[in-house]
Amino acid sequence: EAGVTQFPSHSVIEKGQTVTLRCDPISGHDNLYWYRRVMGKEIKFLLHFVKESKQDESGMPNNRFLAERTGGTYSTLKVQPAELEDSGVYFCASSQVSSYNEQFFGPGTRLTVL
Amino acid sequence: GDSVTQMEGPVTLSEEAFLTINCTYTATGYPSLFWYVQYPGEGLQLLLKATKADDKGSNKGFEATYRKETTSFHLEKGSVQVSDSAVYFCALSPDMRFGAGTRLTVKP
């Protein structure tokens, strides 16, 4: 069974540009989560989808971040326009049930904003 | 709000040494506690968990005991191997708060 995949693995962009990160969850997992780890600090929750609906987006830092999950399969996280402080590693996770201790994580996308 | 404080790294040990990575938490209610591990180039994997006070989680030779009186969940392993080199994260639910991660390097 394929795990959670994320694309790209690395992205380097300039301040003001737009970047879109993609996450493909494990097939059949209705729950999809986005997290971010900035500068070696703690991993912070961004948002949680149940199928195509946003269940909890309390961790989204500001309106420059837009997450979508059309059709309830893969998800995208767009940052527009990117700022220097957006640099970090963005993790995606999925789970079959809505339980935080059943999550499977992807390898992350390392975003660098110059 | 809930939070996790984790021992800062990096930690470098020789093979077969004893490992302790400290983790303490602040939470209202009765959280579940977790240790996740991230090997190079991979995603986070659940290493072990404990869902109530005095529970001991264990996996791959690692252990951690949920201590409510000291609000701690320290990770231990009696004899580390080179293959244990990774970043370790302490976390608690239900709001999934993570610690900052501790990078462990084990040298042969």
Side-chain angles (χ1 to χ4, degrees), chain A residues 6-13 19 21 89 108-112:
Chain A
Q6 293 187 243
F7 182 83
S9 56
H10 294 86
S11 181
V12 180
I13 61 173
V19 63
L21 313 181
V89 180
T109 293
R110 181 175 295 279
L111 173 65
T112 301

Side-chain angles (χ1 to χ4, degrees), chain B residues 60-75:
Chain B
K60 300 182 180 180
F62 290 89
E63 292 183 341
T65 301
Y66 188 162
R67 301 284 189 201
K68 192 170 186 299
E69 64 276 12
T70 54
T71 61
S72 65
F73 193 55
H74 304 322
L75 183 68

Side-chain angles (χ1 to χ4, degrees), chain B residues 74-94:
Chain B
H74 304 322
L75 183 68
E76 296 183 335
K77 186 173 185 181
S79 176
V80 293
Q81 305 300 312
V82 172
S83 57
D84 293 327
S85 298
V87 182
Y88 293 82
F89 294 90
C90 186
L92 63 76
S93 72

Side-chain angles (χ1 to χ4, degrees), chain B:
Chain B
D2 295 358
S3 65
V4 174
T5 302
Q6 188 175 337
M7 174 178 146
E8 288 189 23
V11 175
T12 302
L13 296 173
S14 297
E15 207 164 23
E16 298 183 4
F18 184 85
L19 168 72
T20 299
I21 300 178
N22 290 339
C23 172
T24 57
Y25 68 90
T26 301
T28 54
Y30 303 94
S32 293
L33 301 173
F34 310 88
W35 277 100
Y36 280 84
V37 59
Q38 184 182 22
Y39 298 104
E42 300 182 14
L44 278 73
Q45 301 173 22
L46 180 63
L47 179 61
L48 54 84
K49 66 180 182 183
T51 57
K52 61 182 187 296
D54 299 325
D55 268 2
K56 178 186 284 188
S58 61
N59 186 23
K60 300 182 180 180
F62 290 89
E63 292 183 341
T65 301
Y66 188 162
R67 301 284 189 201
K68 192 170 186 299
E69 64 276 12
T70 54
T71 61
S72 65
F73 193 55
H74 304 322
L75 183 68
E76 296 183 335
K77 186 173 185 181
S79 176
V80 293
Q81 305 300 312
V82 172
S83 57
D84 293 327
S85 298
V87 182
Y88 293 82
F89 294 90
C90 186
L92 63 76
S93 72
D95 292 335
M96 218 56 189
R97 296 286 186 262
F98 284 86
T102 302
R103 180 176 298 279
L104 169 67
T105 300
V106 181
K107 296 188 174 181

Side-chain angles (χ1 to χ4, degrees), chain A residues 19-34:
Chain A
V19 63
T20 300
L21 313 181
R22 172 170 171 146
C23 168
D24 286 78
I26 292 172
S27 178
H29 282 193
D30 288 340
N31 295 273
L32 188 149
Y33 311 82
W34 282 99

